[in-house]
Amino acid sequence: MADGIRRIARAYYERASEEEKNEAKQYFSELDKNGDGKIKVTELKSRYSGTLVDNYFKKLDSDGDGVLGFSDVLVLFYIKKDKVGVGIVCDGCDELTFGDPYFSCVLCLPKHPQTYDLCCDCYGRGKLEHCHPLTNFMHNQNHHGRMLKQHQEKTTQATGEMEELRKIATMIYKSASADVKASAHDFFRFMDKDGDQRVNISEFLSSMSQQGHEQLQTRRMFQELDRDGDGALDFSEVVTLYYIIKSCRPTCNWCKDFIPGIFFSCVLCFKVGRSYDLCRSCYLSNDANHSHNGATQFLDNFAFLQNIREYLIEARYQQGNELSQSQAIVPRTGKSKIDVAATIVNTICQITNAVCSVVSIAGKCTIM
């Protein structure tokens, strides 16, 4: 492991508040099961699962004595706090590149997390089994690596938006009816195949496949949900997933990433009963190749909702077909126009049969 990463972690610790220093010490104590002031690989594995634990331990063990001291564990602590990068696994030699420079295929970056990365040794030897030539690789520390930087910024942005989404999901769950809470618990039990009150990666992928949520069936999605990074989802983390599914949160049609925040929808696709959504990064980059005979019209989700809300409500009333209680994320008992409108806002992506009644919507949308 590059000494630079260790120095960064130590610098963070030296400048940290007393509260953060105590948190770091507590983290070390939790790993140190036998209290001898040293962390063995077995102790690390008792906290973290996965095939990379041995690789991380080897990289962290700076003096090669087979144990980790407090300074070594500081790196893990600040990885957990998202202040130090986790590194990449070289697709050429399967070695963990932790704090060292590496090369990434630029053409594969929009397909994150299915990127293709090489350590410097493999890149230098030209060792790769990849569909794109080495001329499409960029150094992560090169000033020409603009796309790499954009990708990192996108990940940071998504992390903040995901945290906001967690807060929303938690608030809605706390204020939900007993029936909705029971449904959330049923969903958790369905995912928790072995009944250990934790959903591991295999249980997550299996559950998403069984329920037909292929777009969420990725390791990247699991990692985003796993807030504490312990390799499993507890009930509160599954509540976020439950809310994502019930609120029909989209994935980007271009880069295939889950979109936790603002997105842009094609109005012309919506007009004919389809959906084409872009995350903020893909929309702003103009990389997405999407048009209708040369015509394009995208609106962000807030402007889109504001423009179509009244049309959807009116169409719904004309059809005399109010949403059922079971469709709402937070069921409502009243039948006033305000209640129906609020329910429609919460379940807007489920109102597919109302689209046909608003075929003229594209011509009526306005945005500043």
Side-chain angles (χ1 to χ4, degrees):
M1 181 185 68
D3 288 337
I5 295 294
R6 192 183 305 279
R7 290 199 298 268
I8 290 172
R10 172 56 69 174
Y12 274 130
Y13 179 77
E14 295 296 338
R15 297 288 297 174
S17 64
E18 286 302 316
E19 181 181 358
E20 185 171 304
K21 287 182 178 179
N22 290 333
E23 185 182 351
K25 293 174 183 176
Q26 178 64 29
Y27 177 72
F28 182 84
S29 298
E30 291 173 358
L31 292 176
D32 185 16
K33 301 296 184 182
N34 60 7
D36 64 353
K38 299 176 181 179
I39 310 300
K40 301 179 180 65
V41 67
T42 53
E43 292 175 313
L44 192 63
K45 287 182 176 180
S46 69
R47 175 68 177 267
Y48 297 104
S49 59
T51 58
L52 290 179
V53 174
D54 288 314
N55 281 335
Y56 270 103
F57 188 90
K58 181 180 177 181
K59 293 287 185 179
L60 289 167
D61 185 12
S62 56
D63 52 11
D65 61 354
V67 294
L68 305 181
F70 183 70
S71 294
D72 301 320
V73 173
L74 275 181
V75 177
L76 275 181
F77 175 72
Y78 282 109
I79 287 176
K80 180 173 174 287
K81 295 184 75 68
D82 293 325
K83 290 187 176 182
V84 174
V86 297
I88 59 100
V89 176
C90 175
D91 287 293
C93 62
D94 292 327
E95 285 294 319
L96 178 66
T97 301
F98 198 13
D100 298 321
Y102 60 91
F103 291 81
S104 289
C105 176
V106 174
L107 299 180
C108 288
L109 285 179
K111 301 176 183 178
H112 181 80
Q114 288 79 35
T115 57
Y116 194 91
D117 309 297
L118 293 175
C119 66
C120 291
D121 290 339
C122 288
Y123 178 82
R125 293 194 299 266
K127 179 182 178 181
L128 79 163
E129 296 178 1
H130 189 53
C131 56
H132 301 133
L134 284 173
T135 52
N136 292 300
F137 281 68
M138 282 188 178
H139 194 295
N140 71 313
Q141 296 179 356
N142 193 308
H143 68 280
H144 293 300
R146 178 178 57 87
M147 291 188 68
L148 290 176
K149 182 178 180 181
Q150 287 179 344
H151 176 69
Q152 292 165 351
E153 290 174 348
K154 177 181 177 180
T155 301
T156 301
Q157 170 188 299
T159 300
E161 291 174 337
M162 193 68 181
E163 187 60 31
E164 290 297 316
L165 192 57
R166 287 192 186 96
K167 294 178 182 178
I168 293 172
T170 300
M171 290 174 61
I172 288 181
Y173 173 78
K174 288 180 178 179
S175 62
S177 67
D179 288 342
V180 171
K181 289 181 178 179
S183 296
H185 279 279
D186 288 342
F187 181 68
F188 180 74
R189 283 190 289 269
F190 164 76
M191 297 187 69
D192 182 19
K193 308 297 185 185
D194 58 9
D196 65 350
Q197 302 302 307
R198 291 158 56 89
V199 176
N200 59 38
I201 180 65
S202 61
E203 291 173 326
F204 169 78
L205 296 175
S206 172
S207 298
M208 292 300 95
S209 175
Q210 290 176 31
Q211 292 211 335
H213 303 302
E214 288 82 5
Q215 292 178 316
L216 301 177
Q217 189 186 350
T218 66
R219 291 182 178 274
R220 170 69 175 174
M221 188 66 206
F222 180 86
Q223 292 168 355
E224 290 182 352
L225 291 167
D226 185 14
R227 184 183 185 187
D228 55 10
D230 64 351
L233 306 181
D234 59 23
F235 178 71
S236 65
E237 291 165 335
V238 170
V239 163
T240 302
L241 173 63
Y242 185 69
Y243 173 73
I244 287 170
I245 292 172
K246 285 296 184 180
S247 59
C248 301
R249 296 279 172 156
T251 55
C252 178
N253 283 89
W254 183 249
C255 70
K256 308 305 180 185
D257 274 355
F258 168 70
I259 309 175
I262 294 175
F263 61 92
F264 294 79
S265 292
C266 175
V267 176
L268 301 179
C269 282
F270 183 84
K271 178 181 176 181
V272 295
R274 294 197 301 268
S275 175
Y276 191 92
D277 306 306
L278 295 176
C279 66
R280 179 162 37 189
S281 296
C282 289
Y283 176 77
L284 295 177
S285 69
N286 290 319
D287 289 334
N289 183 19
H290 179 75
S291 68
H292 298 262
N293 296 322
T296 58
Q297 186 176 8
F298 280 85
L299 289 177
D300 69 78
N301 53 316
F302 296 107
F304 200 101
L305 177 60
Q306 185 64 28
N307 276 276
I308 70 173
R309 182 168 174 266
E310 293 301 325
Y311 296 104
L312 287 174
I313 294 173
E314 184 63 28
R316 205 58 170 173
Y317 273 109
Q318 288 176 1
Q319 293 175 1
N321 185 18
E322 295 183 357
L323 288 174
S324 67
Q325 288 289 310
S326 61
Q327 287 178 297
I329 300 170
V330 183
R332 299 174 181 271
T333 56
K335 293 186 178 180
S336 68
K337 193 169 183 177
I338 294 177
D339 281 341
V340 175
T343 306
I344 290 175
V345 170
N346 280 338
T347 58
I348 188 169
C349 59
Q350 300 180 24
I351 313 176
T352 55
N353 61 339
V355 175
C356 296
S357 300
V358 287
V359 293
S360 62
I361 189 173
K364 296 181 180 180
C365 288
T366 58
I367 188 170
M368 292 296 293

